[in-house]
Amino acid sequence: MKTIMGAAALTAMIHLSGCASILSDSSYPVSIQSSPERAEYVVTDTRNGNRVAAGTTPDTVTLRAKHGFFSSARYQVSFEKEGYKSATRPLDADMDGWYFGNILIGGLLGILIIDPATGAMWKLDENLQVGLDAAPAVRPPLAPTEAVPAENEALPAGDEGAPRQQADTLSLNERSATAR
């Protein structure tokens, strides 16, 4: 009789709990890394705009995989480091494979109530890594080494191009006057 009661209790426990709730978590440690290291990061919940975590890479933060009943968490991770372009990456929870174990073990309670309520039906990636691109160096504009004369201004003495340029202009004027 004890064996039958033990088996019945075990069966009831399995059917009254969700499969993912037994085998998975609802919060996950996520390793946040960047190349180069020592970049500042901010994790923001994109559903409500709240800042969830911040720090310097490499780091590990624990994030909830659910946002609400049957609703997965969605995060945005922003990275900044001096001398590099800023970068932003999404971090979204996906359905945990153990959730489908409810078909065999957890039953309808696990599928419709327990795993969605606990958030165990969702899973976050264990790693988020981003490569930051170097920002282009800003150089001041170069100053001209010699003053460039205006169109009607005479060129400095010794410039051999000026008389020829004037002669070309005169010959063009003379040609247009002769052609009329």
Side-chain angles (χ1 to χ4, degrees):
M1 184 71 161
K2 260 186 163 178
T3 309
I4 293 172
M5 290 299 276
L10 181 62
T11 302
M13 185 178 75
I14 289 173
H15 285 287
L16 292 176
S17 64
C19 189
S21 296
I22 295 170
L23 299 171
S24 295
D25 293 323
S26 56
S27 294
Y28 292 90
V30 178
S31 173
I32 299 178
Q33 301 173 13
S34 67
S35 177
E37 293 183 345
R38 311 282 314 147
E40 300 293 321
Y41 73 88
V42 174
V43 180
T44 306
D45 185 334
T46 59
R47 294 191 188 265
N48 58 23
N50 290 340
R51 181 176 159 170
V52 178
T56 304
T57 63
D59 199 4
T60 300
V61 296
T62 301
L63 300 172
R64 292 180 52 151
K66 80 169 194 166
H67 177 72
F69 196 74
F70 275 106
S71 180
S72 66
R74 293 184 181 189
Y75 300 102
Q76 177 176 305
V77 185
S78 302
F79 296 86
E80 289 185 355
K81 183 172 175 77
E82 188 174 333
Y84 293 86
K85 294 180 184 177
S86 298
T88 302
R89 296 292 182 271
L91 178 63
D92 298 334
D94 294 321
M95 185 130 338
D96 190 337
W98 286 111
Y99 176 66
F100 297 106
N102 285 312
I103 295 169
L104 300 174
I105 300 173
L108 284 177
L109 283 176
I111 291 171
L112 299 176
I113 297 173
I114 298 169
D115 286 350
T118 63
M121 68 183 290
W122 306 109
K123 183 173 181 77
L124 286 168
D125 287 335
E126 295 176 0
N127 295 306
L128 177 67
Q129 186 163 0
V130 66
L132 299 175
D133 296 328
V138 179
R139 294 183 183 170
L142 297 175
T145 54
E146 292 183 25
V148 178
E151 192 175 307
N152 294 335
E153 192 176 322
L155 292 173
D159 191 345
E160 298 168 5
R164 195 181 91 205
Q165 185 178 15
Q166 272 183 338
D168 287 345
T169 306
L170 290 176
S171 63
L172 287 176
N173 289 336
E174 290 173 354
R175 285 186 203 154
S176 63
T178 311
R180 291 185 197 163

